[in-house]
Amino acid sequence: GAWGRFLEALDRHHQSLPGYAVLKYGEDRSVIRADHPVGSGQVACRNIRTRKRLLWFMGLGQSPGRRDFDRLVQLGQSGVETPAALAYIERVAPVPESWLVTQFLDAAQDLARFVLTTLPRIAGEERAILKRRLSLAVAKWLGSLLSSGWRHRDFKASNVLITEIRSDSPQALVVDL
């Protein structure tokens, strides 16, 4: 169906996907945005290349995409807010790699970028109020994660997505769990 064609295009020539844009590119991970293959909106697709892929290739563990997919599903079931896990894809040849496909949060901004680019342009009292609201949103998310028995292995500002930034109650979601 539509998901199969989407995952095949993602695996082979992701530049041909409708709505395609590179959000991050790195040696270990890349993140792209593309149009949702079945519904409306867009999805975030994270390509995970890891040094441990040989173990996965040899059948000694899960692919990183599958592991992260399962982790997001379990976190959601525990009541922890995360972008919805939609699919994963694994490819063994020619090079072992995997993809994790999640909900794309259109209005979200990572906290690191927000603090460096947007926050300095906001005036005094409004900035102080916004900083308190964002701190509370991050603390609330982190509290729900810890109370559910989970830990984050790479907690940093660039892995915190903030939505509804200017509202009375912004929401924090943490990625790259």
Side-chain angles (χ1 to χ4, degrees), residues 3-18 89:
W3 270 108
R5 288 189 300 277
F6 175 83
L7 294 175
E8 185 177 312
L10 180 62
D11 187 37
R12 296 215 166 100
H13 307 287
H14 50 274
Q15 294 89 345
S16 65
L17 290 168
I89 185 172

Side-chain angles (χ1 to χ4, degrees), residues 70-83 150 177:
D70 290 346
R71 191 175 288 154
L72 284 177
V73 169
Q74 291 170 354
L75 281 167
Q77 291 170 345
S78 298
V80 179
E81 292 287 331
T82 64
W150 288 85
L177 296 162

Side-chain angles (χ1 to χ4, degrees), residues 52-63 91-96:
K52 296 179 184 176
R53 65 181 169 216
L54 181 60
L55 294 175
W56 162 52
F57 180 73
M58 295 170 53
L60 299 174
Q62 289 184 319
S63 72
R91 178 174 66 174
V92 179
V95 176

Side-chain angles (χ1 to χ4, degrees), residues 42-46 72 83-87 100-104:
Q42 295 190 307
V43 294
C45 308
R46 184 167 54 127
L72 284 177
L86 303 174
L100 171 65
V101 182
T102 64
Q103 162 194 19
F104 178 74

Side-chain angles (χ1 to χ4, degrees), residues 148-169:
S148 69
W150 288 85
R151 303 291 179 267
H152 196 290
R153 53 194 164 83
D154 190 23
F155 187 73
K156 58 187 177 187
S158 61
N159 285 339
V160 177
L161 296 180
I162 303 295
T163 62
E164 304 172 38
I165 293 170
R166 298 283 186 150
S167 75
D168 287 341
S169 54

